[in-house]
Amino acid sequence: MKLRELFLVKPGSKVNLSKIDPDFTAGFKNEKSAKNKIKKYNKSMTDLQNSLFAEGKWSVLICLQGLDAAGKTGTISHVLGSMDPQGTRVCGFRVPTAEEAAHDFLWRIEKQVPAKGEVVIFNRSQYEDVLVVRVHNLVPEARWSKRYDFINNYERQLGANNTHIIKFFLHISPEEQLKRYKERLDDPAKQWKITEADYKERDFWKQYMAAYEDALSKTSTENAPWYVIPSNHKWFRDLAVSKIVVEELESLGIKIPKPQVDVDEIRRKYHEARSEEAEGKGLHVEKGPERPRTRKATIKKD
Ligand code: AMP
Ligand code: MG
């Protein structure tokens, strides 16, 4: 099934979250039936991110949004954690510090966007400034209502500089959120996460859905698309996010750089000749396969 097309917010379309079932699993019956696929996509993600790092041409920014307990942290560790930490960074955005609040809302974002070859994951993002800020009237409507355009312009600017942006809204039901809060309550290792404010925030569910519907509708663009991921089932969320990230990365046409040296020459000079020399001295030489493993199949020519 084409999950990418299914969950994409088509640029210009109007999102109605009440029509998207957070329990949807695209015909998969349970975690077991999805496990091998998740493994396969995670492996592809590892390879693609390595190539992205090697090529150093693209930057990738993955924005994760969702209400509390929607699974942002779980997605980061289960799915995106398969990428090499050397080329990835996770950045969380919380209530702005005094310094952040004294600046324009994009100031703290700009400092964290990915460099070339890097994948950065935002746990919450610039979108909080049209979500929580709107729901709680933290700034006047006249100000937050202009931010959709500011965000689109900024994301277009990043896109023009080879930053590919992928945005996920992890869609859960209020019942599922309450169930997860109860699990936190029953697990001593997770009790530290609980605040009473999280429970009180549930009274604003409708307002959050309205704010999300507007944000998703106004800011899903070709360069920076939104995907609404049914997330009541954690394993399905992992499957959908990993598959979409793989397809998005594949769409970049990443090419592993060609070797800077004559590979055969280097092999002959430093490996085969040395082996023969060592053998001549009676040293133990561990012989590898006749031809070393090559990745020729994945190297695309210019
Ligand atoms: P958590 O993700 O559980 O660590 O919580 C972070 C909190 O910071 C959430 O309640 C967010 O809504 C809040 N937050 C993030 N960005 C902003 C912002 N720009 N203005 C106000 N609150 C924010
Ligand atoms: Mg929290």
Side-chain angles (χ1 to χ4, degrees), residues 68-69 94 124 181 184 193 195 198:
D68 200 40
R94 316 187 95 172
R124 301 187 189 269
Y181 280 0
R184 279 184 187 174
K193 287 188 182 179
T195 69
D198 288 341

Side-chain angles (χ1 to χ4, degrees), residues 180-199:
R180 294 185 186 179
Y181 280 0
K182 179 69 171 44
E183 283 163 10
R184 279 184 187 174
L185 205 58
D186 296 339
D187 182 351
K190 290 190 178 159
Q191 286 167 352
W192 66 272
K193 287 188 182 179
I194 302 167
T195 69
E196 206 172 341
D198 288 341
Y199 284 90

Side-chain angles (χ1 to χ4, degrees), residues 55-279:
E55 188 184 38
K57 174 179 170 185
W58 295 95
S59 312
V60 172
L61 174 59
I62 300 174
C63 294
L64 292 180
Q65 283 289 157
L67 295 185
D68 200 40
K72 300 182 289 297
T73 314
T75 305
I76 291 168
S77 52
H78 295 156
V79 181
L80 307 166
S82 64
M83 298 192 201
D84 185 345
Q86 186 165 244
T88 20
R89 192 156 47 83
V90 178
C91 181
F93 293 98
R94 316 187 95 172
V95 177
T97 62
E99 193 188 18
E100 288 169 348
H103 289 83
D104 175 69
F105 77 105
L106 289 174
W107 182 76
R108 65 176 181 167
I109 303 297
E110 204 158 359
K111 288 195 286 190
Q112 300 295 346
V113 292
K116 296 260 189 301
E118 197 182 24
V119 177
V120 169
I121 299 147
F122 280 1
N123 181 347
R124 301 187 189 269
S125 64
Q126 57 273 27
Y127 287 96
E128 288 296 318
D129 284 277
V130 288
L131 295 165
V132 64
V133 165
R134 162 173 160 166
V135 169
H136 290 290
N137 303 310
L138 301 180
V139 305
E141 179 169 354
R143 257 171 68 205
W144 62 250
S145 60
K146 293 198 181 88
R147 289 178 173 171
Y148 303 101
D149 283 345
F150 294 150
I151 292 174
N152 281 337
N153 286 339
Y154 183 56
E155 290 182 352
R156 199 175 309 126
Q157 183 188 326
L158 293 177
N161 194 31
N162 276 5
T163 300
H164 190 69
I165 306 174
I166 317 164
K167 304 177 293 201
F168 293 104
F169 169 57
L170 307 182
H171 183 38
I172 56 166
S173 63
E175 296 76 22
E176 178 64 20
Q177 187 192 51
L178 193 61
K179 191 177 136 230
R180 294 185 186 179
Y181 280 0
K182 179 69 171 44
E183 283 163 10
R184 279 184 187 174
L185 205 58
D186 296 339
D187 182 351
K190 290 190 178 159
Q191 286 167 352
W192 66 272
K193 287 188 182 179
I194 302 167
T195 69
E196 206 172 341
D198 288 341
Y199 284 90
K200 296 214 166 118
E201 203 63 357
R202 290 169 51 74
D203 295 341
F204 296 91
W205 197 276
K206 256 191 168 164
Q207 290 91 318
Y208 270 111
M209 290 305 107
Y212 264 109
E213 283 174 348
D214 258 1
L216 296 166
S217 308
K218 289 175 196 274
T219 63
S220 194
T221 60
E222 203 121 305
N223 167 64
W226 271 109
Y227 293 95
V228 177
I229 307 295
S231 297
N232 271 5
H233 298 281
K234 294 176 182 175
W235 55 267
F236 182 72
R237 170 205 74 202
D238 290 349
L239 175 82
V241 171
S242 57
K243 185 167 197 281
I244 291 169
V245 169
V246 166
E247 289 178 10
E248 286 280 352
L249 292 178
E250 282 173 346
S251 78
L252 296 178
I254 302 163
K255 295 173 192 149
I256 300 173
K258 287 182 189 145
Q260 301 172 51
V261 295
D262 180 336
V263 172
D264 289 333
E265 171 70 5
I266 293 285
R267 184 179 299 120
R268 197 189 50 71
K269 200 163 156 190
Y270 293 102
H271 296 274
E272 287 162 8
R274 295 246 164 133
S275 301
E276 281 157 18
E277 194 183 315
E279 270 173 355

